[in-house]
Amino acid sequence: MNKEEYIEQEILKLTQYWGSLVLPAGALIVVILGLLDYVVTPENFSKFLIYRLVSASLLMILYFLNTLNKKKKNKTLQISIFIMATIVVSSMVELMILSFGGHQSIYYAGFIIIFIFVLGFVPLISLMKTLFFASLSYAIYLLPILILDDITNPRIFINSNAFLLAAAIIGLGWRYYNDKLLVKKLSLEYDLSKEKERLKNYSSQLEELVAERTKELRKSEAMLKTLHEYANDGIVIMDDKGVIMDVNKKAADIHGYEKAELIGKNIEILELEKHHTIGYERMNRLLSGEPLVFETEHLRKDGSTIALEISAKAIKIDGDILIQSIHRDITEKKRLQAQLLHSQKMESIGTLAGGIAHDFNNILTTVLGYSDLILIDENLSPEVAKKVRVIETAARKASSLVSKLLSFARRGSIEPVPFDINQVVNETVEMLSRIISNDITIKRSFNVRIPPVMGDVNQVEQILMNLIINAKDAISGNGEITISTSTVELSSEGFSLPADIRKGQYVKLSVSDTGKGIPEEHRERIFEPFFTTQGVGKGTGLGLAMVYGIVKEHGGYITVDSEIGVGTTFDIYLPVAEARTPGSRSDLIDNGKSVGEILVVDDEFTVLDLIKETLLRNGFSVKAFDNPLQGLNYFRTNSKKVSLVIADIVMPEMDGIQLIESIRELNPNIKIIATTGFSQNLGDIEVEGFLKKPFQSSKLMSIVREVLNGEDDAVNLK
């Protein structure tokens, strides 16, 4: 509310308050003054007493109305109560005046008492209201006398009026002055209350602000403490002497200590002795204001070392210099870097081996091919034939060595053929027998009626070699390695199959040992690249990863079962080869008289001449080029004459894949045989035949006849 409303409200309260005092006090005085009636005019005592009792009763009724109005706070009703009170008392006094002496009655003094009560105690504020009450009371005195009384003594009447007017004027002045003081007082009270309210609001806002800032401060402290305590990196706070003042949980965990064990200790207890000198230098650089990021090694509580990357900086807080260092454990990162370097080294060696093997394959193709051509000569003497067979045998052994080099380099071509898994096991065991200790017995348990497996023999040999060598390493002293084969039917009901393994018949190859077993925490990781439980220099961690990759590449599945102190069993499931029905041989092409030209493209002159001579001897028409661009140009102008294309994959200027794609664009139905020493990154291209170098003349003719007679489906070199 505004100031005016406040003043009016407070005056109303005061008016009600004084009403609650003046009205009962007036009623009491009216009755008490009845004693004077008995002294002054005994003959009128009874009548005047009635007047007084009636007047007092009416005043008490008005008192109760005043009390009820305290709740309603009706301003008009309040003024009306005082008007009625004034009329009641004034009328009572006027009746006494008229009954006793008229204009000469001494009871005119009663109006002076009325003026005192009305003008002295009731705060009416408005001058006009005060004048109205005074005039109302005076009119009730004067008018009845003027109308009903004969004025026989003007002096006394004038004297009485003079006293009454004087009392009224004094009362008016008194009331006006008091009302001014009251309004001023209430105005000051209002201003003070508003100021107090503003101060209270300001104080409340200040308290809220302080509480909010305190809450934010606590939240900030809690957040910083949480960030410090649960950071992913270790945080160490030291003084300028290197004494540890605080560490977070990660820093304590990294070093294998409890927090309380580190606080108060010097950072030197965590540093290797050989790093103390450089540690002093780093501390001096930090104290000079230089931030540092460096790698170092720290000691754990158990004496082991960890590699750390540390970011440190000196900060000044309240005049004290503190060193904040953030420790990141890079032990695993360092280990992976070492493994990556080792892997890159092996990859470089593999690349070199693959390149050498490729060149050797071309040489061996010439040796084996021409040996084959010589041996089919009917006029060849037995002595020469024997020597040529020695050359052929030596070339085959060299070919086997090259195949192993390509397998090591992971560039060996995958040549899936049906084979007997039992025979592969026997050959692999015989090959490894020289590296297996006499304390270890190798047992073989075969299902002799096992169906053939479709796959690459060299890669399956690689699987067996890795598993047998791992089994040997797991056995300390006397032990036993058991290799068994069987046929199983895999289905979702009896076997938990992965989504990429189809149901059907599989050959199960099991390799068991009586070694130390594989800990449970390592079993889920044994097929991961670079994972090994052997010491440094005793294993690359690639063996089982290679086994897993080869098995998956063959569409198979591998499981492991191991028990500590009992041994380990690896079970490999390889899909059974699908039976193939030989085609009719009645219409096979025995020579090249019924077909067109064969286009041969190979950058190796000796291989090119071998293929050309072999085909010419068998009656085929041959066009040979050592340059793929020349071969493509010839096919572009003579595509209708050519029935078959034999193209090497690795050639300069244009490789065999590009050549085959270009020829396919010219004639999508042309039959193509691809030749290469390895098949890595051959792309997604289809050919009708694939000839792996080195090859013999007989193998070349077998593939050519099969392709020309349409016996083989297209091969995807992906």
Side-chain angles (χ1 to χ4, degrees), residues 204-381:
S204 177
Q205 291 174 359
L206 187 61
E207 288 177 358
E208 291 177 358
L209 181 62
V210 170
E212 184 178 352
R213 294 292 171 84
T214 303
K215 182 179 178 182
E216 290 177 357
L217 180 61
R218 289 175 180 170
K219 181 180 178 181
S220 177
E221 289 176 349
M223 180 179 67
L224 292 175
K225 185 177 180 180
T226 302
L227 290 174
H228 168 82
E229 188 64 23
Y230 296 102
N232 286 331
D233 294 327
I235 301 176
V236 179
I237 308 295
M238 303 173 287
D239 64 10
D240 55 356
K241 300 295 189 299
V243 176
I244 299 173
M245 301 180 68
D246 191 17
V247 295
N248 68 346
K249 186 178 184 299
K250 185 67 174 180
D253 291 343
I254 287 175
H255 294 92
Y257 286 89
E258 296 294 331
K259 289 179 62 175
E261 293 178 298
L262 289 175
I263 296 174
K265 302 292 193 304
N266 197 286
I267 193 66
E268 289 182 353
I269 69 168
L270 303 178
E271 296 177 341
L272 299 180
E273 188 174 351
K274 64 181 180 180
H275 292 161
H276 283 177
T277 301
I278 193 171
Y280 297 141
E281 294 176 1
R282 287 172 179 153
M283 180 64 76
N284 291 331
R285 290 168 65 186
L286 287 168
L287 293 175
S288 66
E290 180 183 356
L292 297 179
V293 178
F294 56 91
E295 292 184 3
T296 187
E297 287 182 314
H298 272 191
L299 279 170
R300 288 173 55 84
K301 186 178 180 180
D302 59 8
S304 61
T305 60
I306 50 172
L308 294 175
E309 180 185 75
I310 296 180
S311 174
K313 185 177 182 180
I315 53 178
K316 197 170 185 179
I317 299 177
D318 293 337
D320 296 327
I321 296 178
L322 300 177
I323 306 295
Q324 181 194 52
S325 60
I326 299 175
H327 297 196
R328 176 165 292 178
D329 187 353
I330 57 171
T331 306
E332 182 67 13
K333 177 182 176 182
K334 287 289 187 182
R335 187 180 69 83
L336 291 176
Q337 285 178 344
Q339 289 180 346
L340 178 61
L341 290 173
H342 178 73
S343 175
Q344 290 174 339
K345 175 183 175 182
M346 299 300 291
E347 181 68 23
S348 299
I349 296 173
T351 301
L352 177 62
I356 295 172
H358 173 261
D359 292 339
F360 264 98
N361 269 333
N362 284 321
I363 297 171
L364 292 173
T365 298
T366 304
V367 174
L368 287 171
Y370 277 108
S371 297
D372 205 20
L373 288 177
I374 293 171
L375 289 173
I376 63 175
D377 188 353
E378 296 178 353
N379 299 320
L380 185 67
S381 66

Side-chain angles (χ1 to χ4, degrees), residues 66-121:
N66 182 81
T67 303
L68 293 174
N69 194 41
K70 284 184 178 181
K71 294 182 179 179
K72 296 181 179 180
K73 297 181 180 179
N74 190 319
K75 185 178 178 182
T76 303
L77 177 59
Q78 193 65 42
I79 296 297
S80 300
I81 290 171
F82 281 105
I83 292 173
M84 287 187 285
T86 303
I87 293 173
V88 167
V89 178
S90 297
S91 299
M92 178 198 72
V93 175
E94 184 63 20
L95 287 174
M96 292 179 180
I97 290 172
L98 292 175
S99 298
F100 182 67
H103 64 280
Q104 299 182 76
S105 176
I106 60 175
Y107 277 94
Y108 77 91
F111 281 97
I112 296 175
I113 297 173
I114 292 172
F115 290 152
I116 293 172
F117 272 88
V118 173
L119 302 178
F121 295 103

Side-chain angles (χ1 to χ4, degrees), residues 583-590 594 708-709 711:
S584 173
R585 306 294 297 180
S586 60
D587 58 346
L588 292 182
I589 298 173
D590 292 326
S594 60
L708 289 175
N709 284 283
E711 288 190 3

Side-chain angles (χ1 to χ4, degrees), residues 559-571:
T559 63
V560 59
D561 184 27
S562 184
E563 185 176 346
I564 299 298
V566 176
T568 302
T569 299
F570 286 92
D571 291 326

